[in-house]
Amino acid sequence: MTFGDGPVGGKTVLDVGFSNVNPTLHCPGTILGAAVMENYGRVFGGNDKSDFSIYSHVYTESVSAVQYSFYQEEIELAEKIGVDIARYLKETFYSRSNILGPEYMGDGASAPFDEQFPMAFGTGPFSIQDRYVTEDIPVGCHIYHELGQKFGVKTPVIDSIITLGLAMVGIDFDQTGVTLKELGIGHLDRAELLDYLENGNYKEEA
C-alpha cells in the first residue's frame, strides 16, 4: 500500500475534511451490510467471524451506488461553499477496493466484485456499535447534514444513513452529533467562512 500519491495537501482544512473517505465508505457499507455482518460466523456455515470485512463481504454494485450518491452530495456541498474535495471517477467506486484502491495503491488498483478480496479480510467491522457508525455518523455525516441545511443543499442519502444509524444503535445523532456551532462556524456566512478558512480572519459571534 505504498504506490498511491502519498500525503496530498488541501487548500483549507475543510477541503481536507471533505476528502476524508471514511464516512463515504464506512457508513453506507456498515449500515447496508449489517445483516451480513451479524450473521457472518453465526448462521453462514464454516465462516470465521474474525475474517469479516465490509470490503470483502458487503460491497456490491448496489452498495457502491449508494456510496457514489453520498459522494455526489459531498461534492455539491463543497462546491456550494467554495472549497474542494478529492475527485474520483464514478467507475472507481464500483469494486471491492472502492476508492481506497487508487488512493492507497495507485491508479488502476481495483478488486473486482466477482473476485475475493483477501487483503481486506479481518478488517471488520464486527458490530454495529463500531466507530464506522458511532464515530463516522455523528462526526462526519452530521456535519454534512448541518452544512447542507446552512447552505441550502439537500442531502437525502446522507440523512438516510443518519436515520438508519439512529434506529440501529439507539443513539440520537441529532442530539449527539458534532454541530457547526461547536466548531465555532455556525454563525459565519459563506464569505466569512471562506475568509476564516483561507486567511484566518475570524468574525466573532454577535
Side-chain angles (χ1 to χ4, degrees), residues 173-185:
F173 294 117
D174 286 332
Q175 297 297 318
T176 64
V178 176
T179 67
L180 300 185
K181 183 175 182 179
E182 288 175 321
L183 296 176
I185 61 174

Side-chain angles (χ1 to χ4, degrees), residues 86-107:
R87 302 289 176 154
Y88 302 98
L89 296 174
K90 181 177 182 178
E91 56 264 28
T92 312
F93 283 81
Y94 286 79
S95 77
R96 296 200 179 282
S97 52
N98 210 288
I99 55 180
L100 287 184
E103 184 177 42
Y104 286 110
M105 295 176 281
D107 290 341

Side-chain angles (χ1 to χ4, degrees), residues 33-166:
V36 180
M37 173 184 66
E38 292 173 351
N39 279 320
Y40 201 87
R42 182 163 70 175
V43 298
F44 295 160
N47 289 328
D48 182 347
K49 188 174 181 64
S50 65
D51 286 339
F52 178 75
S53 162
I54 55 172
Y55 291 89
S56 302
H57 306 112
V58 170
Y59 285 4
T60 63
E61 292 85 351
S62 297
V63 174
S64 291
V66 174
Q67 292 166 323
Y68 182 70
S69 295
F70 186 113
Y71 175 65
Q72 292 302 298
E73 293 178 3
E74 291 179 278
I75 289 178
E76 186 176 356
L77 276 170
E79 292 180 344
K80 186 67 175 287
I81 295 168
V83 298
D84 205 0
I85 182 173
R87 302 289 176 154
Y88 302 98
L89 296 174
K90 181 177 182 178
E91 56 264 28
T92 312
F93 283 81
Y94 286 79
S95 77
R96 296 200 179 282
S97 52
N98 210 288
I99 55 180
L100 287 184
E103 184 177 42
Y104 286 110
M105 295 176 281
D107 290 341
S110 178
F113 287 129
D114 292 335
E115 298 178 11
Q116 290 281 9
F117 189 32
M119 178 184 291
F121 284 2
T123 57
F126 306 104
S127 164
I128 199 66
Q129 299 284 347
D130 186 271
R131 67 181 179 86
Y132 282 14
V133 173
T134 60
E135 178 181 309
D136 290 338
I137 290 182
V139 177
C141 298
H142 193 260
I143 291 175
Y144 295 149
H145 167 75
E146 289 216 335
L147 287 171
Q149 287 191 318
K150 181 176 179 64
F151 292 102
V153 175
K154 293 182 179 180
T155 55
V157 174
I158 293 171
D159 293 349
S160 69
I161 295 297
I162 295 172
T163 300
L164 291 173
L166 182 159

